[in-house]
Amino acid sequence: MNRLSSPLLTTLLVTSLTVFGGLPTAMAASAVATAAAPAPAVKADPAKGGTLYENGDPARGLPSCLSCHGAAGNSSIAINPKLSGQFATYTHKQLVDFTTVHRQQPIMTTYAKMLTEQEKKDISAWLATQVHKPGAAKNKETVELGRKIYRGGIAEKGVAACASCHGATANGIPAQYPRLAGQHQDYTTAQLEAFKTGTRANSPQMTVLSQRMSPEEMRAVADYIAGLR
């Protein structure tokens, strides 16, 4: 090592200089405090996040997010998720996860890797402020099955009630579980299938639960969730 770069080495140097009269005690204390101080946390800027969401960054080849996720995060494409009103902590985590092996998706992995940590936080904070447009259940024949699974789980298969984590109306729990209410049926079903097959591996709980569900049960609960608000 050819330079002093760690707080420990800085502290040792300051201590040595102080002992041998090379640095006044007050200055030594100040230097140690500066070396030990943690880096300031990144503070989100929703306004910048909104601009980046709506316009992208052509100079970097980063497209507008609304081309896939819609104005204000209210996607009209059934396979692309609605992002409006989602907890900033959850959206940020997903953007980070897309840059890891735990959640690989060709389009989102590419663009998430182009975003800085600051930009991930900015976009997430802006989306959290947007008004969520409700959805609706479509299949009357399975809505009762979906309701039973969401509210009571599937006891014989060891599937817990979705409501136990995501809330009675699927509005989630901040910093813990995402909002699901009003989400597109196709997207929710696709994510359950991804958890089941292991192509999405960023939630151990969802991996276990989805592996115990049939395709019919997934579609039923996804449809029921779409109608919650």
Side-chain angles (χ1 to χ4, degrees), residues 41-125:
V42 176
K43 186 176 181 179
D45 187 329
K48 288 184 177 179
T51 298
L52 187 58
Y53 180 94
E54 293 176 349
N55 303 322
D57 186 351
R60 286 185 287 166
L62 184 68
S64 162
C65 305
L66 63 78
S67 59
C68 289
H69 295 287
N74 284 294
S75 166
S76 60
I77 303 172
I79 199 61
N80 294 338
K82 296 179 182 179
L83 304 176
S84 55
Q86 187 59 268
F87 304 127
T89 49
Y90 180 78
T91 303
H92 173 260
K93 180 182 184 299
Q94 300 314 301
L95 288 173
V96 172
D97 285 353
F98 277 123
T99 69
T100 73
V101 297
H102 302 298
R103 191 175 185 187
Q104 290 286 296
Q105 200 274 350
I107 296 174
M108 284 307 304
T109 292
T110 297
Y111 297 141
K113 287 182 176 180
M114 296 173 67
L115 296 172
T116 65
E117 172 66 6
Q118 178 70 59
E119 290 169 338
K120 289 182 177 70
K121 285 186 176 292
D122 292 348
I123 291 173
S124 300

Side-chain angles (χ1 to χ4, degrees), residues 13-14 38 46 62 151 174 211 222:
L13 175 60
V14 171
L62 184 68
R151 295 185 176 279
Q211 288 174 346

Side-chain angles (χ1 to χ4, degrees), residues 24-46:
T25 301
M27 291 178 63
S30 176
V32 171
T34 300
V42 176
K43 186 176 181 179
D45 187 329

